[in-house]
Amino acid sequence: MKKISHELVDVVIAGSGIAGSTMAAELGEAGFNVLVLEAGPERKLSDMISSQIWSRRLRWAGPEVRETGDLVGAANFAMGWGTGGAGLHWYANWYRLHPDDFHVQSLYGRSLDWPISYEDLRPWYDHAQTYFGVSGDADPHAPAGAPYPMPAIPISRQSSAIKKGFETEGLKLTSNTLAINSTPFDGRPGCLLDGWCDSGCPIGALANPLVLQWPRAKKAGVELRHNAYVARIETDPSGSLATGVTYLDELGQENFQPSKVVISACHTIWNARLLLLSSNDKHPDGLGNGSGTLGQYFTSHALTTIHGLFPQETEPHLGVSGANTLCLEGYENKQPEDGAFGSRAWLVGQAAKPNDLLGTALAKPELFGDALETYMQKASAHYGNMTVLCEEDSIPENHIALDPSRRDRFGLPQALVTNSLPQANAARTTLAKAEGLRIFKAAGTSEAWAGARSPMHMLGGTIMGDDPSASVTNSFGQVHEVDNLFVAGASLFPTPGAINPTATLAALVFRTADYIRTNKSSLLR
């Protein structure tokens, strides 16, 4: 079939998740003619159903991602599919990277440095927390910034049960910071604390693209086109200018969407995959891969869960999916013992339903029959949990590549992710697990255990940097070799820190949108 060509737009954005929708709203309001292409189906707020089974529908339903290494399994759980992307099932944990997270190479001789500092991003962090609506209290162990626009959500019975253990270890729990309304805010209601964030928030208390960015974007005239699978970014004969994107519609028909500016705002793996798929004569190893770093320096967070049964009732099904409380005390101690490296953060008191991946039943996957029933009778009222995130070094060996032996339904190579945890980071997770079990024992649990180490979040692969020979983009996500091509999302992160990435992702999006606004005349020439 002949490729269909569409009318020229100012900006085309691949992906409608938090990065893509925020960028679309910002640029639409700045007067750009913006089109967003989303590979998945249309989602509406009325579609959100408080059900563990329903939550699976919001997860990735595109081509399989193959993972290899000793820290794998995050892809299908973390990515989204349809309007809003992963922004419909994210947990709204809202944290800033700490100042030393931007300078790990310079300070410790490991990993990489960012091309910007915390102070460069601080005003954008402040802006982002007001835009999204963040609840929380001042935390002496968090980086400096403006006060949160809303007070923290109440401490839960589950957190109250766990708190004693932290105090015994000489640590302090603080209220969690969340992009969830603790009170009515910006025309959206306060949270019911019913623990269903994981399956989408139908009332809009949790900041997601359906209630936050897309109303603004559509009011500004932004167009959103669903079932539009972006297959490659096209360039002019010189290879120095993006001319638009080729996408495939529901019927497999090729479409060419010309644009003056192209922004890849997919999830981490898909940003790298799209640039790799866009190779041509001028960019034989992938678009923007003159440095050879495209796909490299993939990172995640090494996660360990701690579970326990408490003598008091904990109401584990109530609260928020992310965490009720937080411990950042000791985060800056990246070298806790010889042979161990990396920051760590405790996310405490996650709401847990009886079933499904994060439920109380699968906290004990080895049980069945009468033993499972006995456990569930106790756990449904007395269960508690927390999660520790540990830092992973950025190394070139952990990477995203194309797998020519496995292809999607359109015949395009699928993504292959390699991720193994460096030994010093693995040693850090061992220390954290022991700390967590001590905390739960001190809190009075009748039984405490740890889950297997696993990955959480996906970052890197299109890293930013000042040096075009060692990075894919500059600090604004602008691809070094293609002036009108930008990348948005966590794939830009040179290092991951040990906290959830969305606040930093959002701050970077606002900073890049401001850069594009400021350079509008030259970019739209």
Side-chain angles (χ1 to χ4, degrees):
M1 290 185 289
K2 184 179 178 181
K3 186 182 293 188
I4 298 172
S5 188
H6 297 269
E7 291 185 9
L8 177 70
V9 297
D10 292 340
V11 180
V12 65
I13 300 174
S16 71
I18 289 177
S21 62
T22 304
M23 187 72 77
E26 288 291 290
L27 296 183
E29 290 174 343
F32 289 81
N33 177 18
V34 181
L35 167 67
V36 177
L37 300 175
E38 166 57 48
E42 181 179 8
R43 307 274 189 205
K44 298 178 181 178
L45 201 62
S46 58
D47 296 332
M48 304 296 104
I49 299 170
S50 297
S51 156
Q52 297 287 43
I53 298 298
W54 163 258
S55 71
R56 301 180 190 183
R57 298 186 187 183
L58 302 178
R59 257 74 182 193
W60 182 246
E64 178 188 359
V65 175
R66 192 156 69 92
E67 299 178 76
T68 183
D70 63 20
L71 193 63
V72 298
N76 289 342
F77 179 80
M79 294 193 293
W81 186 248
T83 321
L88 295 195
H89 64 73
W90 76 301
Y91 290 174
N93 291 309
W94 190 269
Y95 318 123
R96 304 178 184 214
L97 286 173
H98 290 223
D100 64 344
D101 289 328
F102 293 86
H103 308 290
V104 181
Q105 218 313 301
S106 297
L107 294 173
Y108 303 100
R110 307 176 67 91
S111 205
L112 298 170
D113 282 344
W114 289 58
I116 55 176
S117 69
Y118 175 76
E119 287 303 318
D120 292 321
L121 212 51
R122 177 175 171 175
W124 300 108
Y125 275 127
D126 288 347
H127 174 72
Q129 72 184 31
T130 300
Y131 182 102
F132 277 74
V134 175
S135 60
D137 294 330
D139 185 341
H141 303 289
Y148 300 116
M150 285 175 283
I153 62 173
I155 189 168
S156 66
R157 293 185 71 175
Q158 189 182 165
S159 283
S160 296
I162 298 169
K163 184 178 180 181
K164 176 184 173 183
F166 276 89
E167 291 172 344
T168 301
E169 283 290 305
L171 299 170
K172 184 178 179 181
L173 275 184
T174 59
S175 301
N176 196 16
T177 46
L178 296 154
I180 294 176
N181 291 355
S182 59
T183 60
F185 180 82
D186 196 27
R188 297 182 285 117
C191 180
L192 300 175
L193 300 175
D194 60 0
W196 285 113
C197 316
D198 188 48
S199 56
C201 179
I203 66 170
L206 186 153
N208 73 66
L210 294 181
V211 296
L212 183 60
Q213 294 94 336
W214 277 114
R216 298 178 66 152
K218 289 179 178 178
K219 184 178 180 181
V222 174
E223 181 186 352
L224 175 56
R225 201 172 292 168
H226 293 93
N227 302 302
Y229 185 102
V230 179
R232 61 181 291 111
I233 298 164
E234 308 291 355
T235 64
D236 68 359
S238 72
S240 61
L241 190 70
T243 57
V245 301
T246 292
Y247 73 90
L248 299 138
D249 60 25
E250 257 183 310
L251 302 176
Q253 168 69 54
E254 279 196 340
N255 292 255
F256 175 62
Q257 177 58 60
S259 182
K260 296 178 182 179
V261 175
V262 175
I263 302 174
S264 181
C266 309
H267 213 287
T268 290
I269 295 171
W270 243 243
N271 273 342
R273 179 183 185 249
L274 180 56
L275 294 184
L276 289 166
L277 286 173
S278 302
S279 61
N280 55 39
D281 290 343
K282 300 296 183 180
H283 303 273
D285 300 316
L287 200 54
N289 196 20
S291 64
T293 60
L294 177 58
Q296 293 184 353
Y297 300 103
F298 175 86
T299 54
S300 62
H301 291 123
L303 169 154
T304 301
T305 52
I306 305 295
H307 312 265
L309 299 178
F310 290 80
Q312 65 268 55
E313 292 194 0
T314 57
E315 296 181 336
H317 61 291
L318 296 179
V320 293
S321 295
N324 177 256
T325 47
L326 172 72
C327 180
L328 292 176
E329 191 169 351
Y331 181 96
E332 267 82 18
N333 184 13
K334 288 186 182 289
Q335 296 173 305
E337 287 187 12
D338 289 344
F341 183 83
S343 297
R344 69 95 179 92
W346 285 106
L347 281 62
V348 180
Q350 295 168 284
K353 304 301 182 181
N355 62 324
D356 221 71
L357 182 61
L358 300 181
T360 50
L362 280 188
K364 283 263 191 187
E366 74 278 9
L367 298 182
F368 61 94
D370 291 343
L372 176 59
E373 182 178 356
T374 299
Y375 160 74
M376 289 299 293
Q377 289 288 343
K378 178 78 170 178
S380 62
H382 296 270
Y383 173 81
N385 75 101
M386 61 184 186
T387 297
V388 66
L389 299 185
C390 291
E391 184 173 352
E392 179 179 342
D393 284 357
S394 298
I395 58 174
E397 292 80 7
N398 288 335
H399 64 276
I400 303 161
L402 298 180
D403 184 357
S405 68
R406 303 165 71 92
R407 295 182 178 267
D408 63 20
R409 67 188 181 99
F410 299 117
L412 301 172
Q414 294 184 2
L416 171 63
V417 178
T418 299
N419 189 30
S420 289
L421 193 63
Q423 181 55 43
N425 304 143
R428 184 67 188 91
T429 68
T430 299
L431 293 176
K433 180 172 75 171
E435 180 184 45
L437 290 173
R438 289 197 307 271
I439 288 169
F440 266 39
K441 182 178 180 180
T445 54
S446 59
E447 182 183 1
W449 66 98
R453 186 173 66 209
S454 60
M456 186 177 185
H457 309 125
M458 299 179 291
L459 312 97
T462 66
I463 60 167
M464 62 165 66
D466 288 330
D467 183 357
S469 70
S471 56
V472 177
T473 82
N474 65 16
S475 68
F476 297 100
Q478 187 176 25
V479 174
H480 290 303
E481 301 160 43
V482 187
D483 285 347
N484 65 336
L485 173 60
F486 292 80
V487 176
S491 63
L492 295 172
F493 290 24
T495 59
I499 43 88
N500 302 54
T502 308
T504 304
L505 177 157
L508 290 173
V509 168
F510 287 119
R511 183 173 181 268
T512 293
D514 182 66
Y515 176 85
I516 294 173
R517 279 193 299 263
T518 303
N519 293 277
K520 182 176 182 179
S521 58
S522 61
L523 287 169
L524 297 187
R525 67 186 184 275

